[in-house]
Amino acid sequence: MNFFRLQERGTSVRTEVLAGCTTFLTLSYIIFVNPLVLSDTGMDSGAVLVATCLAAAFGSLVMGLYANYPIALAPGMGLNAYFAAIAVGTLGLPWQAALGAVFCSGVLMLVLSVLPVREWVVNSIPRSQKVAIAAGIGFFLVIIGLRNAGVIVGSEATLVALGNLAQWPVILALLGFFGIVAFEQRKVPGAVLICILIVAGVGWLSGQSPAPASLMAAPPSLAPTLLQLDIATALEVGLLAIVFAFLMVDLFDTSGTLVAVLNEAGLTGEDGRVPNLRRALVADSSATIVGSLLGTSTTTSYIESAAGVRAGGRTGLTAVVVAVLFLGAILLAPVATAVPGYATAPAILFVGCVMARAMRNIDWDELTEAVPAIVTAIAMPFTYSIATGIGLGFITYTVVKLVAGRTSELNAAVVTVAVLFGIRFFVM
């Protein structure tokens, strides 16, 4: 296991396996959510399930073996909604053309990663913004965790409201959250994984959620989506904006996730830079290309990887374990999809709380750093988009530095990104 540099990073095979299982369980919901979202476009849900697992397995495997980072990949939430609701639903694109747009954005992303324009952009992010990105993603995870647990619900009057805390799934989720905190404080190995399994088990036994009907099932056919993408239509002049949109969202969703998770893992340098970043970015963009060929929306790095990091994952072996579990999930789909949302919600909520602590590293006395950082951190959960939060934060950072006469503290990457997001928000 010297390949993964386990001893150098202070971990072990057992810890990495536990971390991989933890990460997989926290993001396994994508196995059934992604087919549900994409089936609204007319895509075959069974084929999408298989494509989802294969794309996630490929991306996680490349990330683990090539970049040696504990980052799992899978078709992204938000990106799949944009694919179904905007590209296909609003603009009326055939899903084949939308897949073609995903493929084109993946190729462009790969080019930017190899050049290495993408690495330059990520490493040029000011430290205050990197801290804000990590904290913002933490707040984002808190919102997701509370929603999945049923603690908060949608409200037309106030946007969100308190859910019914007397429901058993909500109670189980809250007990799971308190259990994770207690186990973590007592340094219990695999605390997050243990609590996920306990809550899921109690939910199955009590009838709060259906237990797996069987351990195995024959995998659905991939044929309805395999190589069905329409690249020619996606490259038509009027549709290039769709390709650009996929490109921009994936670029900053992934960059924000990598910076946040690797910072949490202690794998960033003192200056906040990510070593070997180019390999991680190549792995991510390659997964998007392969995923579009298989028949799924953009494949991206998952913030839920932070749960595995919290469980001790520090090397690519964690990601390899996730890849193996995704492959197994094709056959064990009844079990993989039986873990209810309220069982993984405590893990997401806990990880969010831990990541939100990054706000303590902001220089609160320097308003030109603190104000843009707050905008970034708050915009992510309230716009329900990591990329949008980063965009608004970069625009604020640039404008604040300009009006404060601190232009020497700006760099070309930050200004370029701010301008591009400005075009996206106010023109496109």
Side-chain angles (χ1 to χ4, degrees):
M1 287 296 177
N2 291 334
F3 175 83
F4 293 107
R5 296 156 56 193
L6 299 179
Q7 187 173 3
E8 178 183 332
R9 295 189 182 177
T11 184
S12 65
V13 173
R14 178 180 178 275
T15 299
E16 295 292 302
V17 171
L18 273 174
C21 292
T22 300
T23 295
F24 174 76
L25 283 175
T26 59
L27 60 81
S28 61
Y29 63 85
I30 195 64
I31 297 172
F32 58 93
V33 173
N34 198 48
L36 184 65
V37 172
L38 297 189
S39 62
D40 288 340
T41 68
M43 300 177 73
D44 182 84
S45 59
V48 174
L49 184 147
V50 176
T52 298
C53 291
L54 291 178
F58 174 84
S60 300
L61 192 64
V62 175
M63 182 66 77
L65 296 179
Y66 184 59
N68 195 26
Y69 281 138
I71 306 288
L73 288 85
M77 291 295 292
L79 286 160
N80 58 3
Y82 181 85
F83 180 103
I86 306 299
V88 178
T90 302
L91 300 178
L93 281 182
W95 60 263
Q96 294 89 342
L99 282 179
V102 171
F103 174 85
C104 294
S105 69
V107 171
L108 289 173
M109 191 74 75
L110 181 60
V111 172
L112 293 176
S113 299
V114 171
L115 281 181
V117 176
R118 196 176 172 191
E119 182 177 17
W120 169 67
V121 170
V122 175
N123 282 329
S124 297
I125 299 174
R127 179 160 183 79
S128 63
Q129 282 298 299
K130 287 181 177 177
V131 169
I133 289 169
I137 292 175
F139 292 136
F140 191 18
L141 287 177
V142 168
I143 292 290
I144 294 173
L146 291 173
R147 183 203 63 187
N148 290 353
V151 175
I152 60 174
V153 295
S155 168
E156 291 186 6
T158 60
L159 298 183
V160 293
L162 186 66
N164 183 358
L165 301 187
Q167 292 182 331
W168 272 108
V170 179
I171 293 173
L172 288 174
L174 291 175
L175 290 175
F177 172 68
F178 295 136
I180 291 175
V181 175
F183 285 172
E184 283 285 341
Q185 184 63 30
R186 295 172 182 272
K187 309 297 182 184
V188 176
V192 175
L193 176 59
I194 291 171
C195 288
I196 289 175
L197 294 177
I198 289 175
V199 173
V202 172
W204 292 335
L205 292 174
S206 64
Q208 296 301 319
S209 57
S214 61
L215 291 179
M216 300 181 68
S221 172
L222 184 62
T225 61
L226 180 64
L227 301 178
Q228 295 300 308
L229 65 170
D230 183 354
I231 299 174
T233 300
L235 289 175
E236 291 179 2
V237 176
L239 299 180
L240 291 181
I242 299 297
V243 176
F244 179 73
F246 279 125
L247 177 69
M248 288 290 286
V249 174
D250 188 30
L251 171 64
F252 290 100
D253 262 359
T254 297
S255 300
T257 297
L258 287 172
V259 168
V261 175
L262 296 179
N263 181 68
E264 181 68 23
L267 297 177
T268 56
E270 292 183 2
D271 58 357
R273 287 176 175 259
V274 178
N276 230 10
L277 177 61
R278 192 183 307 182
R279 290 195 171 201
L281 297 175
V282 167
D284 181 271
S285 49
S286 299
T288 290
I289 295 172
V290 171
S292 67
L293 295 172
L294 293 168
T296 186
S297 53
T298 305
T299 302
T300 187
S301 300
Y302 254 68
I303 191 59
E304 282 85 350
S305 301
V309 166
R310 189 65 188 172
R314 293 294 182 273
T315 75
L317 182 55
T318 293
V320 171
V321 171
V322 174
V324 172
L325 291 173
F326 266 114
L327 289 176
I330 298 176
L331 294 175
L332 301 175
V335 175
T337 60
V339 177
Y342 61 79
T344 57
I348 296 173
L349 180 57
F350 174 75
V351 171
C353 291
V354 171
M355 295 186 69
R357 296 182 305 172
M359 291 295 281
R360 71 181 184 272
N361 296 318
I362 292 174
D363 183 357
W364 295 104
D365 295 324
E366 176 51 64
L367 289 181
T368 62
E369 297 289 333
V371 171
I374 293 170
V375 170
T376 299
I378 296 300
M380 285 185 190
F382 284 108
T383 63
Y384 220 72
S385 169
I386 294 173
T388 299
I390 292 174
L392 292 174
F394 272 45
I395 292 172
T396 304
Y397 187 90
T398 301
V399 173
V400 166
K401 291 291 184 182
L402 287 173
V403 299
R406 310 279 286 271
T407 55
S408 62
E409 297 175 16
L410 292 170
N411 61 58
V414 171
V415 174
T416 301
V417 171
V419 170
L420 290 175
F421 267 108
I423 293 171
R424 179 191 167 200
F425 292 150
F426 300 110
V427 179
M428 298 180 66

